[in-house]
Structure formats: C-alpha cells, structure tokens
Amino acid sequence: MKKIQISPSILSADFSQLGNEIKRLEKAGADMIHVDVMDGHFVPNLTIGPPVIKALKKHSSIMFDVHLMISPVHNYIEAYAEAGADIITIHPEATADLSSSILKVKKLKKKVGISLNPETKTDVIYNFLDKIDLVLIMSVNPGFGGQKFMPEVLDKVKELKRIQKEKNLDFDIEIDGGINFDNSKSAIQAGVNILVSGTTIFKSNNGDIKKNIELLKSK
Ligand code: DX5
Ligand code: ZN
C-alpha cells in the first residue's frame, strides 16, 4: 500500500502571508502544497496565477501540487511548469484534446494529473490511466473551499483501485474537497493515498496544522 500523504490547500491560508504559510506547512509535515488555480470562467472563482506560484516556489523546497481549474488550459501548461509546478492537474472538460495536454505536461518533465468532477465518470480517463501519474477525485464541485464532502465519489475511488489492480498500474489517487477527520478514514479505506485539505488543516484545533496533518493521516 502507498504511504498516505497530505497536500494542504493554500486556499484557506492567510493570503497576506503566503510565503510564511508555506514554511509553516513544510515544518508541520505537509508532503506537498496544493495550489488551487481558478480563472472565474471554468469555475466561478478567481485565485492566483504563475507569477505568485513562481515567487512562492523560490523560497521553498516542498513539491507544488498545482490544480488547474482554468479553461482552455492547454496553452497555459508551460507557464505553470516554468513557475515551479511539480504536479500539474487538469480537468478533461478544460481541454479540447486531453491526450495532447497530457503529453505536453510530460514533455515538460512534470507529473501529470487528471481531475474528475463529482459528476464526471471514470470512463473519460480509462484510456489514459497508463499515461498519467495521478487521478484527482473532486469530492465537491470545484470553485470554493469549505464545502460539504460528497461521499458518493468514493465509488469512483474503489473503481479506480480495481482497474489499477487489473491493469497493474501505479497512479496516485488524490481526493479534494470537504475532507475532515471523519471522512478521511473512509477515503483512505476506499483507496485514496493523497488527501487535499484546506479548511480542516487551517481551521480545526485552533489552527494547529501539525496536529491536523497528523490526524488526517491516521487511519
Ligand atoms: C475546491 C478546491 C479545493 C478546496 C479544498 O475547488 O479544489 O482544493 O479548496 O478546501 P476544503 O478542504 O476547504 O474543501
Ligand atoms: Zn484543489
């Protein structure tokens, strides 16, 4: 079984202190940093772009797990790779040609992830599973932090786990949205090995992020 990893979403961090927030997460034992990039078009919210990622990356050594919620995504991939993204995750609905977008990330020597919205079926990525590093299962509709977890998406995690075994594949399964200390366990049991969390990490236990990371990891 893969090691359970935590990818805190900086969407819930103090935006006036982002550099320090990332240092704090690194110290607290985060395995990577989840960066939610939103364009006000693919999702109804707007966050940060390549210059901010570049500035943050310069002062940290932790992996940047960049979740692109932008459309059309294809022509922006390079900018995020250059800014310092280590994992680049895209939504199939945000590109006209998923195959060439995957290839583009690969050519830039970055890990490539594909994200499935709650209503998107696994069929969409079935033929790409041997070409990608990660599947990001959305457990809320993308756009905002602090939403309620949708337990039904765990069926897709189980299905992906089954396909993974059948085809002898090794991609990571990450979950994103509404993760808390209760549902983290069911997600891990279903087969998730990377948990994204914003609200729970930054707001639970009076913002004790070290404790919150440890609690999310415990099975
Ligand atoms: C939602 C984002 C998530 C979200 C996670 O569109 O992709 O990363 O911010 O935050 P919480 O843990 O608050 O749901
Ligand atoms: Zn995200």
Side-chain angles (χ1 to χ4, degrees):
M1 210 179 126
K2 287 184 186 241
K3 200 178 122 230
I4 305 303
Q5 295 186 294
I6 307 296
S7 187
S9 166
I10 54 169
L11 200 57
S12 300
D14 178 351
F15 265 45
S16 72
Q17 297 287 328
L18 274 184
N20 290 332
E21 291 284 70
I22 288 173
K23 285 203 182 84
R24 203 157 74 90
L25 288 168
E26 270 190 79
K27 262 202 190 150
D31 296 284
M32 56 189 97
I33 302 292
H34 188 82
V35 185
D36 286 306
V37 177
M38 305 184 185
D39 66 352
H41 164 72
F42 183 70
V43 289
N45 194 5
L46 201 58
T47 56
I48 59 171
V52 178
I53 294 177
K54 192 174 181 178
L56 293 171
K57 182 71 185 183
K58 220 183 268 173
H59 300 287
S60 68
S61 49
I62 196 161
M63 284 226 309
F64 273 33
D65 167 31
V66 177
H67 178 193
L68 296 181
M69 288 162 273
I70 59 175
S71 165
V73 69
H74 194 80
N75 290 337
Y76 288 100
I77 290 172
E78 208 158 2
Y80 287 94
E82 274 168 15
D86 299 285
I87 304 171
I88 296 181
T89 295
I90 60 176
H91 285 253
E93 295 87 354
T95 178
D97 185 352
L98 186 55
S99 181
S100 66
S101 293
I102 291 172
L103 205 68
K104 191 163 188 176
V105 178
K106 288 266 187 196
K107 276 193 183 146
L108 292 160
K109 306 242 177 319
K110 304 296 177 182
K111 286 193 170 188
V112 60
I114 303 189
S115 181
L116 298 181
N117 278 346
E119 74 279 9
T120 307
K121 299 212 162 58
T122 55
D123 310 8
V124 179
I125 53 164
Y126 189 80
N127 292 329
F128 301 100
L129 290 173
D130 57 342
K131 295 170 186 69
I132 61 176
D133 300 290
L134 177 151
V135 179
L136 175 63
I137 297 290
M138 291 307 302
S139 39
V140 297
N141 284 308
F144 300 93
Q147 301 184 75
K148 200 170 170 288
F149 180 75
M150 300 164 82
E152 60 271 26
V153 304
L154 293 182
D155 287 343
K156 286 192 281 191
V157 173
K158 290 177 197 156
E159 196 188 337
L160 285 167
K161 237 16 229 179
R162 213 192 53 238
I163 300 170
Q164 200 171 46
K165 256 197 186 153
E166 257 171 41
K167 294 187 159 194
N168 198 20
L169 297 171
D170 192 42
F171 54 84
D172 288 309
I173 304 179
E174 183 175 31
I175 197 156
D176 184 6
I179 291 294
N180 58 36
F181 304 128
D182 297 321
N183 57 38
S184 59
K185 288 170 189 57
S186 51
I188 293 168
Q189 267 157 27
V192 163
N193 68 293
I194 306 176
L195 298 157
V196 174
S197 165
T199 308
T200 297
I201 296 236
F202 285 96
K203 309 273 188 265
S204 294
N205 295 307
N206 292 319
D208 185 343
I209 55 177
K210 189 167 192 287
K211 183 174 181 179
N212 296 335
I213 289 173
E214 278 163 16
L215 284 172
L216 282 177
K217 274 192 190 185
S218 64
K219 284 172 229 166

